[in-house]
Amino acid sequence: PSNPIAAYMSLGPLLLAEFCSLCYDLENTSIATKNSASQSTHYLSLTQLSLRAFSFCVHGLSTSTTNQAMSNAQRVQFMISNAIRIASRAAPSSKDGWDYYQSLNVQGNNAPQDEIELKKSLTPFVSFKVDANAPVRLCLFSELMRSSMYGEAIECCHLIKAAAASFSEPSIKHHLSVMLLRCFEQIKQVGVGLLSLDHGEGNQNESCVCYAIDTAFELNNNLDGDTFVPFPHGFLGLD
């Protein structure tokens, strides 16, 4: 396209809304693909394809070298926020989950404000929060893992990596890696998932766990012994 930024901004929200809508039909997910012996091992479900395409849009915005008034982090945050708004309408049962995460107070430890806002936009996808006075809520990654949607969980890791390319502050990437790994602590807890899926529970998939760990290492690859990384409140920076 002559204006790829505009294309990413327009297509991204539609793709996330499509992903959320497709997740409720088991036949559209990687669970059905896994259970079909006739399918090629390289076959991707509709949910995987839609989330992967959404990640490509995020990646395009994160790595853009176009000289515009908005920073890459601002562009990604604006697109994801718009995508969440449209997904809430396309999948009404997910609206409470999106609203809950977007209402949280996110700290950035002296990071640029646009990057703090982007970090907040990513909390519905990967986050860990313990609140003894509130019901347990599962972010999208935890919910996908609990629902045995491992192919989609891997695509969620792709999404986090794509968005992280917008961050210049190493500590935010570090916090994302911590959140991603701590998501595994939530999988067996009784709680409401972001999309409120009901596909049953399964055992953890080894390849998906390994990919999440690799993603966490990649998010930390800009840290060195001299980088100051303040310990975030509650491992997430949420009040």
Side-chain angles (χ1 to χ4, degrees):
S2 58
N3 188 346
I5 299 299
Y8 298 143
M9 289 287 194
S10 300
L11 288 175
L14 300 179
L15 289 165
L16 182 63
E18 181 72 3
F19 165 76
C20 293
S21 299
L22 290 169
C23 280
Y24 297 98
D25 186 344
L26 199 65
E27 293 303 311
N28 294 326
T29 71
S30 61
I31 299 175
T33 304
K34 179 182 63 177
N35 294 336
S36 177
S38 63
Q39 295 290 2
S40 165
T41 55
H42 299 293
Y43 177 85
L44 292 178
S45 65
L46 291 175
T47 47
Q48 289 172 272
L49 285 171
S50 55
L51 190 54
R52 179 171 296 190
F54 178 67
S55 298
F56 283 155
C57 291
V58 171
H59 181 266
L61 295 173
S62 295
T63 58
S64 173
T65 57
T66 304
N67 186 18
Q68 294 187 357
M70 297 176 69
S71 67
N72 287 0
Q74 287 175 313
R75 281 196 286 255
V76 174
Q77 188 274 330
F78 180 83
M79 192 272 278
I80 291 179
S81 295
N82 192 31
I84 289 173
R85 179 176 56 83
I86 295 176
S88 296
R89 294 203 304 260
S93 58
S94 70
K95 186 177 187 305
D96 286 345
W98 296 116
D99 289 347
Y100 166 77
Y101 283 105
Q102 292 300 286
S103 69
L104 297 175
N105 179 32
V106 177
Q107 301 171 357
N109 299 308
N110 299 320
Q113 186 60 36
D114 57 345
E115 297 187 13
I116 296 174
E117 293 300 321
L118 175 54
K119 179 184 177 184
K120 179 176 180 177
S121 295
L122 294 175
T123 54
F125 300 93
V126 55
S127 63
F128 179 87
K129 180 172 173 61
V130 176
D131 187 345
N133 300 318
V136 174
R137 284 190 176 269
L138 303 181
C139 65
L140 181 62
F141 179 78
S142 294
E143 183 177 22
L144 294 173
M145 289 290 292
R146 188 179 68 174
S147 301
S148 302
M149 296 171 66
Y150 303 120
E152 292 83 353
I154 289 177
E155 298 303 328
C156 193
C157 291
H158 284 301
L159 170 61
I160 298 304
K161 286 197 295 184
S166 298
F167 293 125
S168 62
E169 173 54 52
S171 66
I172 292 186
K173 292 184 179 182
H174 172 73
H175 296 168
L176 283 176
S177 71
V178 172
M179 288 189 283
L180 179 61
L181 295 181
R182 295 213 68 188
C183 283
F184 289 98
E185 299 180 25
Q186 292 182 318
I187 295 172
K188 295 300 182 182
Q189 296 186 35
V190 177
V192 179
L194 178 70
L195 301 180
S196 300
L197 299 176
D198 186 21
H199 296 328
E201 299 182 17
N203 296 321
Q204 290 186 14
N205 178 276
E206 182 176 338
S207 62
C208 185
V209 173
C210 290
Y211 194 87
I213 293 173
D214 287 343
T215 299
F217 279 128
E218 287 187 46
L219 291 173
N220 277 318
N221 66 2
N222 288 326
L223 298 179
D224 56 41
D226 296 323
T227 302
F228 173 68
V229 180
F231 197 68
H233 175 67
F235 291 96
L236 179 56
L238 303 178
D239 293 329

Tab-separated table of all heavy atoms in Angstrom, residues 48-99:
chain	number	residue	atom	x	y	z
A	48	GLN	N	-5.456	-18.426	14.888
A	48	GLN	CA	-4.012	-18.173	14.802
A	48	GLN	C	-3.689	-17.194	13.687
A	48	GLN	O	-2.861	-16.291	13.855
A	48	GLN	CB	-3.256	-19.486	14.568
A	48	GLN	CG	-3.222	-20.422	15.763
A	48	GLN	CD	-2.642	-21.774	15.401
A	48	GLN	OE1	-3.362	-22.676	14.976
A	48	GLN	NE2	-1.337	-21.914	15.536
A	49	LEU	N	-4.337	-17.385	12.539
A	49	LEU	CA	-4.070	-16.514	11.399
A	49	LEU	C	-4.460	-15.067	11.699
A	49	LEU	O	-3.713	-14.129	11.381
A	49	LEU	CB	-4.830	-17.014	10.169
A	49	LEU	CG	-4.260	-18.251	9.480
A	49	LEU	CD1	-5.242	-18.760	8.426
A	49	LEU	CD2	-2.910	-17.940	8.836
A	50	SER	N	-5.619	-14.874	12.317
A	50	SER	CA	-6.077	-13.516	12.592
A	50	SER	C	-5.193	-12.823	13.622
A	50	SER	O	-4.870	-11.638	13.486
A	50	SER	CB	-7.541	-13.516	13.049
A	50	SER	OG	-7.727	-14.368	14.164
A	51	LEU	N	-4.762	-13.569	14.659
A	51	LEU	CA	-3.895	-12.962	15.670
A	51	LEU	C	-2.504	-12.703	15.101
A	51	LEU	O	-1.861	-11.693	15.434
A	51	LEU	CB	-3.808	-13.858	16.912
A	51	LEU	CG	-3.131	-13.245	18.147
A	51	LEU	CD1	-3.771	-11.909	18.522
A	51	LEU	CD2	-3.188	-14.201	19.328
A	52	ARG	N	-2.026	-13.593	14.224
A	52	ARG	CA	-0.724	-13.373	13.599
A	52	ARG	C	-0.765	-12.141	12.698
A	52	ARG	O	0.182	-11.332	12.701
A	52	ARG	CB	-0.296	-14.593	12.782
A	52	ARG	CG	1.052	-14.404	12.094
A	52	ARG	CD	1.569	-15.677	11.466
A	52	ARG	NE	1.850	-16.698	12.458
A	52	ARG	CZ	2.498	-17.838	12.184
A	52	ARG	NH1	2.915	-18.088	10.952
A	52	ARG	NH2	2.708	-18.722	13.136
A	53	ALA	N	-1.846	-11.983	11.951
A	53	ALA	CA	-1.972	-10.811	11.086
A	53	ALA	C	-2.030	-9.532	11.916
A	53	ALA	O	-1.466	-8.497	11.534
A	53	ALA	CB	-3.216	-10.943	10.210
A	54	PHE	N	-2.716	-9.594	13.066
A	54	PHE	CA	-2.755	-8.443	13.968
A	54	PHE	C	-1.348	-8.105	14.455
A	54	PHE	O	-0.958	-6.934	14.500
A	54	PHE	CB	-3.680	-8.740	15.145
A	54	PHE	CG	-3.756	-7.636	16.165
A	54	PHE	CD1	-4.331	-6.417	15.847
A	54	PHE	CD2	-3.255	-7.812	17.441
A	54	PHE	CE1	-4.398	-5.379	16.777
A	54	PHE	CE2	-3.318	-6.798	18.383
A	54	PHE	CZ	-3.891	-5.578	18.048
A	55	SER	N	-0.574	-9.128	14.791
A	55	SER	CA	0.804	-8.909	15.239
A	55	SER	C	1.655	-8.279	14.141
A	55	SER	O	2.526	-7.444	14.422
A	55	SER	CB	1.434	-10.237	15.686
A	55	SER	OG	0.745	-10.790	16.779
A	56	PHE	N	1.414	-8.676	12.883
A	56	PHE	CA	2.145	-8.068	11.773
A	56	PHE	C	1.854	-6.569	11.689
A	56	PHE	O	2.750	-5.766	11.402
A	56	PHE	CB	1.755	-8.735	10.449
A	56	PHE	CG	2.395	-10.079	10.232
A	56	PHE	CD1	1.796	-11.017	9.411
A	56	PHE	CD2	3.589	-10.412	10.846
A	56	PHE	CE1	2.379	-12.263	9.204
A	56	PHE	CE2	4.188	-11.651	10.656
A	56	PHE	CZ	3.577	-12.582	9.826
A	57	CYS	N	0.601	-6.189	11.923
A	57	CYS	CA	0.241	-4.765	11.922
A	57	CYS	C	0.968	-4.033	13.043
A	57	CYS	O	1.501	-2.931	12.848
A	57	CYS	CB	-1.267	-4.603	12.073
A	57	CYS	SG	-2.235	-5.135	10.644
A	58	VAL	N	1.002	-4.654	14.231
A	58	VAL	CA	1.721	-4.055	15.365
A	58	VAL	C	3.203	-3.922	15.038
A	58	VAL	O	3.831	-2.884	15.301
A	58	VAL	CB	1.518	-4.899	16.640
A	58	VAL	CG1	2.425	-4.407	17.765
A	58	VAL	CG2	0.063	-4.853	17.083
A	59	HIS	N	3.769	-4.968	14.442
A	59	HIS	CA	5.196	-4.939	14.085
A	59	HIS	C	5.481	-3.832	13.079
A	59	HIS	O	6.499	-3.125	13.180
A	59	HIS	CB	5.607	-6.295	13.508
A	59	HIS	CG	7.067	-6.366	13.135
A	59	HIS	ND1	7.524	-6.100	11.858
A	59	HIS	CD2	8.176	-6.665	13.875
A	59	HIS	CE1	8.837	-6.224	11.829
A	59	HIS	NE2	9.252	-6.561	13.039
A	60	GLY	N	4.595	-3.670	12.099
A	60	GLY	CA	4.785	-2.625	11.107
A	60	GLY	C	4.801	-1.238	11.719
A	60	GLY	O	5.592	-0.374	11.327
A	61	LEU	N	3.948	-1.018	12.702
A	61	LEU	CA	3.907	0.272	13.385
A	61	LEU	C	5.105	0.452	14.314
A	61	LEU	O	5.644	1.557	14.451
A	61	LEU	CB	2.613	0.401	14.188
A	61	LEU	CG	1.310	0.446	13.374
A	61	LEU	CD1	0.104	0.408	14.307
A	61	LEU	CD2	1.251	1.688	12.497
A	62	SER	N	5.536	-0.636	14.952
A	62	SER	CA	6.642	-0.569	15.925
A	62	SER	C	7.975	-0.281	15.264
A	62	SER	O	8.859	0.329	15.875
A	62	SER	CB	6.742	-1.884	16.707
A	62	SER	OG	5.610	-2.106	17.494
A	63	THR	N	8.146	-0.748	14.045
A	63	THR	CA	9.451	-0.646	13.371
A	63	THR	C	9.455	0.394	12.262
A	63	THR	O	10.416	0.487	11.510
A	63	THR	CB	9.846	-2.016	12.789
A	63	THR	OG1	8.824	-2.458	11.868
A	63	THR	CG2	10.008	-3.050	13.893
A	64	SER	N	8.378	1.162	12.158
A	64	SER	CA	8.288	2.159	11.091
A	64	SER	C	9.360	3.230	11.242
A	64	SER	O	9.661	3.684	12.344
A	64	SER	CB	6.901	2.809	11.100
A	64	SER	OG	6.846	3.888	10.194
A	65	THR	N	9.947	3.621	10.112
A	65	THR	CA	10.929	4.707	10.104
A	65	THR	C	10.339	5.967	9.489
A	65	THR	O	11.063	6.930	9.223
A	65	THR	CB	12.179	4.280	9.309
A	65	THR	OG1	11.788	3.906	7.975
A	65	THR	CG2	12.874	3.106	9.982
A	66	THR	N	9.018	5.951	9.269
A	66	THR	CA	8.348	7.117	8.703
A	66	THR	C	8.396	8.284	9.682
A	66	THR	O	8.105	8.133	10.864
A	66	THR	CB	6.875	6.790	8.383
A	66	THR	OG1	6.831	5.665	7.506
A	66	THR	CG2	6.202	7.975	7.717
A	67	ASN	N	8.765	9.426	9.198
A	67	ASN	CA	8.867	10.614	10.050
A	67	ASN	C	7.490	11.262	10.184
A	67	ASN	O	7.011	11.935	9.276
A	67	ASN	CB	9.867	11.597	9.443
A	67	ASN	CG	10.129	12.790	10.352
A	67	ASN	OD1	9.832	12.731	11.548
A	67	ASN	ND2	10.663	13.857	9.804
A	68	GLN	N	6.829	11.014	11.322
A	68	GLN	CA	5.514	11.582	11.577
A	68	GLN	C	5.482	12.176	12.975
A	68	GLN	O	6.403	11.995	13.771
A	68	GLN	CB	4.426	10.508	11.425
A	68	GLN	CG	4.285	9.987	10.005
A	68	GLN	CD	3.088	9.065	9.854
A	68	GLN	OE1	2.388	8.762	10.808
A	68	GLN	NE2	2.864	8.608	8.635
A	69	ALA	N	4.401	12.894	13.255
A	69	ALA	CA	4.296	13.565	14.550
A	69	ALA	C	4.216	12.584	15.707
A	69	ALA	O	4.711	12.851	16.802
A	69	ALA	CB	3.071	14.487	14.552
A	70	MET	N	3.590	11.424	15.479
A	70	MET	CA	3.437	10.412	16.538
A	70	MET	C	4.655	9.501	16.575
A	70	MET	O	5.190	9.111	15.539
A	70	MET	CB	2.181	9.577	16.294
A	70	MET	CG	0.886	10.359	16.349
A	70	MET	SD	-0.553	9.344	15.933
A	70	MET	CE	-0.626	8.246	17.367
A	71	SER	N	5.084	9.148	17.783
A	71	SER	CA	6.151	8.166	17.935
A	71	SER	C	5.612	6.780	17.624
A	71	SER	O	4.391	6.571	17.541
A	71	SER	CB	6.705	8.194	19.366
A	71	SER	OG	5.715	7.725	20.279
A	72	ASN	N	6.494	5.816	17.432
A	72	ASN	CA	6.047	4.452	17.173
A	72	ASN	C	5.216	3.912	18.327
A	72	ASN	O	4.208	3.234	18.123
A	72	ASN	CB	7.256	3.542	16.923
A	72	ASN	CG	7.886	3.784	15.566
A	72	ASN	OD1	7.422	4.640	14.797
A	72	ASN	ND2	8.935	3.056	15.249
A	73	ALA	N	5.629	4.219	19.559
A	73	ALA	CA	4.874	3.750	20.723
A	73	ALA	C	3.473	4.356	20.731
A	73	ALA	O	2.497	3.674	21.056
A	73	ALA	CB	5.614	4.111	22.014
A	74	GLN	N	3.361	5.622	20.375
A	74	GLN	CA	2.048	6.266	20.317
A	74	GLN	C	1.165	5.627	19.248
A	74	GLN	O	-0.033	5.418	19.462
A	74	GLN	CB	2.195	7.765	20.035
A	74	GLN	CG	2.712	8.567	21.218
A	74	GLN	CD	2.960	10.021	20.844
A	74	GLN	OE1	3.569	10.324	19.811
A	74	GLN	NE2	2.494	10.927	21.684
A	75	ARG	N	1.752	5.323	18.097
A	75	ARG	CA	0.972	4.712	17.013
A	75	ARG	C	0.460	3.338	17.434
A	75	ARG	O	-0.704	2.996	17.208
A	75	ARG	CB	1.812	4.615	15.746
A	75	ARG	CG	1.932	5.909	14.978
A	75	ARG	CD	2.430	5.667	13.573
A	75	ARG	NE	3.831	5.339	13.553
A	75	ARG	CZ	4.794	6.184	13.161
A	75	ARG	NH1	4.479	7.395	12.784
A	75	ARG	NH2	6.051	5.799	13.142
A	76	VAL	N	1.353	2.531	18.029
A	76	VAL	CA	0.953	1.176	18.443
A	76	VAL	C	-0.121	1.269	19.528
A	76	VAL	O	-1.118	0.541	19.497
A	76	VAL	CB	2.171	0.376	18.945
A	76	VAL	CG1	1.724	-0.975	19.501
A	76	VAL	CG2	3.165	0.162	17.818
A	77	GLN	N	0.075	2.164	20.495
A	77	GLN	CA	-0.897	2.305	21.574
A	77	GLN	C	-2.251	2.753	21.038
A	77	GLN	O	-3.304	2.241	21.448
A	77	GLN	CB	-0.374	3.320	22.606
A	77	GLN	CG	-1.204	3.413	23.869
A	77	GLN	CD	-2.375	4.375	23.746
A	77	GLN	OE1	-2.302	5.347	22.999
A	77	GLN	NE2	-3.450	4.100	24.473
A	78	PHE	N	-2.249	3.685	20.110
A	78	PHE	CA	-3.499	4.180	19.538
A	78	PHE	C	-4.224	3.063	18.790
A	78	PHE	O	-5.440	2.891	18.937
A	78	PHE	CB	-3.202	5.343	18.587
A	78	PHE	CG	-4.434	5.927	17.951
A	78	PHE	CD1	-5.196	6.866	18.623
A	78	PHE	CD2	-4.826	5.525	16.681
A	78	PHE	CE1	-6.339	7.407	18.039
A	78	PHE	CE2	-5.963	6.053	16.089
A	78	PHE	CZ	-6.725	6.998	16.772
A	79	MET	N	-3.479	2.285	18.008
A	79	MET	CA	-4.099	1.202	17.243
A	79	MET	C	-4.646	0.112	18.160
A	79	MET	O	-5.758	-0.384	17.966
A	79	MET	CB	-3.095	0.611	16.253
A	79	MET	CG	-3.738	-0.316	15.214
A	79	MET	SD	-3.841	-2.030	15.770
A	79	MET	CE	-2.188	-2.602	15.387
A	80	ILE	N	-3.874	-0.281	19.186
A	80	ILE	CA	-4.335	-1.327	20.095
A	80	ILE	C	-5.554	-0.856	20.880
A	80	ILE	O	-6.511	-1.619	21.079
A	80	ILE	CB	-3.199	-1.749	21.051
A	80	ILE	CG1	-2.105	-2.497	20.273
A	80	ILE	CG2	-3.737	-2.647	22.167
A	80	ILE	CD1	-0.931	-2.941	21.119
A	81	SER	N	-5.550	0.387	21.329
A	81	SER	CA	-6.710	0.907	22.066
A	81	SER	C	-7.954	0.901	21.187
A	81	SER	O	-9.056	0.547	21.647
A	81	SER	CB	-6.422	2.331	22.555
A	81	SER	OG	-5.376	2.332	23.504
A	82	ASN	N	-7.798	1.273	19.938
A	82	ASN	CA	-8.924	1.247	19.007
A	82	ASN	C	-9.373	-0.192	18.759
A	82	ASN	O	-10.570	-0.486	18.675
A	82	ASN	CB	-8.528	1.914	17.695
A	82	ASN	CG	-9.715	2.185	16.797
A	82	ASN	OD1	-10.823	2.422	17.258
A	82	ASN	ND2	-9.497	2.134	15.487
A	83	ALA	N	-8.394	-1.106	18.672
A	83	ALA	CA	-8.712	-2.521	18.464
A	83	ALA	C	-9.494	-3.090	19.638
A	83	ALA	O	-10.447	-3.862	19.461
A	83	ALA	CB	-7.422	-3.316	18.244
A	84	ILE	N	-9.107	-2.719	20.846
A	84	ILE	CA	-9.809	-3.180	22.042
A	84	ILE	C	-11.250	-2.678	22.053
A	84	ILE	O	-12.180	-3.415	22.389
A	84	ILE	CB	-9.059	-2.727	23.310
A	84	ILE	CG1	-7.752	-3.520	23.466
A	84	ILE	CG2	-9.920	-2.877	24.554
A	84	ILE	CD1	-6.863	-3.038	24.596
A	85	ARG	N	-11.436	-1.436	21.652
A	85	ARG	CA	-12.788	-0.862	21.614
A	85	ARG	C	-13.674	-1.630	20.627
A	85	ARG	O	-14.825	-1.962	20.940
A	85	ARG	CB	-12.700	0.620	21.224
A	85	ARG	CG	-14.038	1.321	21.129
A	85	ARG	CD	-13.856	2.803	20.830
A	85	ARG	NE	-13.066	3.018	19.622
A	85	ARG	CZ	-13.591	2.984	18.393
A	85	ARG	NH1	-14.880	2.727	18.220
A	85	ARG	NH2	-12.827	3.210	17.344
A	86	ILE	N	-13.138	-1.941	19.463
A	86	ILE	CA	-13.920	-2.659	18.458
A	86	ILE	C	-14.135	-4.113	18.878
A	86	ILE	O	-15.218	-4.677	18.684
A	86	ILE	CB	-13.219	-2.575	17.082
A	86	ILE	CG1	-13.199	-1.109	16.607
A	86	ILE	CG2	-13.911	-3.454	16.055
A	86	ILE	CD1	-12.462	-0.882	15.314
A	87	ALA	N	-13.113	-4.736	19.477
A	87	ALA	CA	-13.241	-6.124	19.930
A	87	ALA	C	-14.299	-6.242	21.022
A	87	ALA	O	-15.000	-7.255	21.107
A	87	ALA	CB	-11.896	-6.630	20.441
A	88	SER	N	-14.430	-5.217	21.861
A	88	SER	CA	-15.439	-5.240	22.921
A	88	SER	C	-16.848	-5.292	22.338
A	88	SER	O	-17.751	-5.890	22.931
A	88	SER	CB	-15.297	-3.997	23.811
A	88	SER	OG	-14.051	-3.991	24.476
A	89	ARG	N	-17.024	-4.666	21.191
A	89	ARG	CA	-18.330	-4.697	20.535
A	89	ARG	C	-18.535	-6.005	19.768
A	89	ARG	O	-19.640	-6.551	19.744
A	89	ARG	CB	-18.469	-3.513	19.577
A	89	ARG	CG	-18.485	-2.157	20.259
A	89	ARG	CD	-19.165	-1.111	19.395
A	89	ARG	NE	-18.538	-1.009	18.084
A	89	ARG	CZ	-17.672	-0.066	17.738
A	89	ARG	NH1	-17.305	0.837	18.635
A	89	ARG	NH2	-17.164	-0.019	16.531
A	90	ALA	N	-17.467	-6.503	19.147
A	90	ALA	CA	-17.583	-7.734	18.367
A	90	ALA	C	-17.793	-8.954	19.262
A	90	ALA	O	-18.469	-9.912	18.870
A	90	ALA	CB	-16.329	-7.932	17.507
A	91	ALA	N	-17.210	-8.936	20.458
A	91	ALA	CA	-17.350	-10.033	21.420
A	91	ALA	C	-17.785	-9.430	22.745
A	91	ALA	O	-16.960	-9.178	23.632
A	91	ALA	CB	-16.027	-10.791	21.578
A	92	PRO	N	-19.082	-9.168	22.924
A	92	PRO	CA	-19.578	-8.450	24.114
A	92	PRO	C	-19.184	-9.086	25.442
A	92	PRO	O	-19.001	-8.371	26.429
A	92	PRO	CB	-21.101	-8.476	23.919
A	92	PRO	CG	-21.294	-8.616	22.443
A	92	PRO	CD	-20.159	-9.477	21.966
A	93	SER	N	-19.041	-10.412	25.475
A	93	SER	CA	-18.680	-11.058	26.737
A	93	SER	C	-17.250	-10.730	27.174
A	93	SER	O	-16.866	-11.028	28.304
A	93	SER	CB	-18.846	-12.580	26.622
A	93	SER	OG	-18.046	-13.094	25.583
A	94	SER	N	-16.474	-10.132	26.283
A	94	SER	CA	-15.103	-9.758	26.638
A	94	SER	C	-14.995	-8.322	27.146
A	94	SER	O	-13.938	-7.918	27.632
A	94	SER	CB	-14.180	-9.916	25.419
A	94	SER	OG	-14.466	-8.928	24.434
A	95	LYS	N	-16.081	-7.564	27.055
A	95	LYS	CA	-16.019	-6.131	27.377
A	95	LYS	C	-15.591	-5.879	28.819
A	95	LYS	O	-14.758	-4.999	29.083
A	95	LYS	CB	-17.367	-5.465	27.118
A	95	LYS	CG	-17.340	-3.942	27.281
A	95	LYS	CD	-18.672	-3.324	26.957
A	95	LYS	CE	-18.580	-1.790	26.959
A	95	LYS	NZ	-18.047	-1.246	28.221
A	96	ASP	N	-16.131	-6.647	29.773
A	96	ASP	CA	-15.762	-6.456	31.177
A	96	ASP	C	-14.273	-6.677	31.388
A	96	ASP	O	-13.628	-5.959	32.173
A	96	ASP	CB	-16.565	-7.394	32.077
A	96	ASP	CG	-18.013	-6.958	32.225
A	96	ASP	OD1	-18.317	-5.800	31.884
A	96	ASP	OD2	-18.833	-7.784	32.682
A	97	GLY	N	-13.728	-7.684	30.709
A	97	GLY	CA	-12.306	-7.971	30.837
A	97	GLY	C	-11.432	-6.853	30.300
A	97	GLY	O	-10.484	-6.407	30.955
A	98	TRP	N	-11.762	-6.361	29.096
A	98	TRP	CA	-10.995	-5.249	28.530
A	98	TRP	C	-11.083	-4.029	29.435
A	98	TRP	O	-10.073	-3.364	29.695
A	98	TRP	CB	-11.519	-4.894	27.141
A	98	TRP	CG	-11.377	-5.931	26.070
A	98	TRP	CD1	-12.390	-6.567	25.407
A	98	TRP	CD2	-10.154	-6.453	25.509
A	98	TRP	NE1	-11.879	-7.446	24.487
A	98	TRP	CE2	-10.514	-7.397	24.525
A	98	TRP	CE3	-8.815	-6.208	25.759
A	98	TRP	CZ2	-9.570	-8.093	23.777
A	98	TRP	CZ3	-7.859	-6.909	25.014
A	98	TRP	CH2	-8.235	-7.837	24.040
A	99	ASP	N	-12.312	-3.725	29.910
A	99	ASP	CA	-12.510	-2.540	30.753
A	99	ASP	C	-11.718	-2.650	32.057
A	99	ASP	O	-11.161	-1.656	32.548
A	99	ASP	CB	-13.999	-2.355	31.070
A	99	ASP	CG	-14.802	-1.909	29.859
A	99	ASP	OD1	-14.189	-1.504	28.857
A	99	ASP	OD2	-16.044	-1.994	29.923
